[in-house]
Amino acid sequence: MGWNFNDNTPIYLQIISGLQREIASGAYPPGSRLPSVRELALEAGVNPNTMQRALAELERQGLVNSQRTAGRFVTEDTAALSALRRSMSDTIIANFFRNMHGLGLAQNEILSLVEDWIRENNKEEQ
């Protein structure tokens, strides 16, 4: 994962968000072992305590679990993973509509543009 942190949000929250994205996308599949705190911290260029804080929050959320001496693993709870994907999707969609409304577009215009975009891009995939 390429880590690019910004100054607007605490780093540990950005780490949580990035790992949630990786889990939701299947980059870390259900049941898979996560790299160690030290490995993740080194990769992200952060203090291991910061990474530990982020992983502890993911554990609190039920997205990862610790197995003594074996490490941390992505949950196999399909309901939790579906809820994560849904929550992330809702946020993306809400931001999309907020941006489109900011352009002065009405909801029916936005939906029409989305339908056009899908039709045009499906032609490219065929």
Side-chain angles (χ1 to χ4, degrees):
M1 164 187 279
W3 296 95
N4 295 313
F5 300 115
N6 65 58
D7 294 335
N8 301 330
T9 308
I11 290 175
Y12 85 97
L13 292 176
Q14 294 177 64
I15 292 170
I16 291 168
S17 179
L19 289 172
Q20 286 174 331
R21 235 182 350 270
E22 295 290 299
I23 291 168
S25 72
Y28 291 123
S32 67
R33 184 180 179 281
L34 293 174
S36 72
V37 170
R38 292 193 189 284
E39 291 170 323
L40 286 169
L42 185 62
E43 176 189 322
V46 300
N47 185 298
N49 292 330
T50 302
M51 187 60 68
Q52 175 61 35
R53 183 176 182 188
L55 290 169
E57 176 58 22
L58 291 173
E59 195 165 341
R60 190 193 67 72
Q61 293 174 2
L63 297 175
V64 301
N65 53 66
S66 295
Q67 296 180 10
R68 195 173 205 108
T69 72
R72 282 192 174 86
F73 294 82
V74 175
T75 186
E76 295 185 68
D77 181 350
T78 55
L81 295 171
S82 292
L84 172 64
R85 285 186 196 99
R86 178 59 193 239
S87 173
M88 293 179 82
S89 297
D90 286 348
T91 299
I92 291 167
I93 291 167
N95 287 333
F96 169 77
F97 273 91
R98 193 172 13 267
N99 288 329
M100 296 300 274
H101 286 301
L103 294 174
L105 297 170
Q107 191 143 330
N108 63 333
E109 293 173 300
I110 297 168
L111 293 174
S112 178
L113 288 169
V114 169
E115 290 170 350
D116 291 347
W117 187 90
I118 290 170
R119 267 193 302 280
E120 290 170 10
N121 285 282
N122 279 340
K123 289 178 187 175
E124 293 174 10
E125 292 178 5
Q126 294 175 0

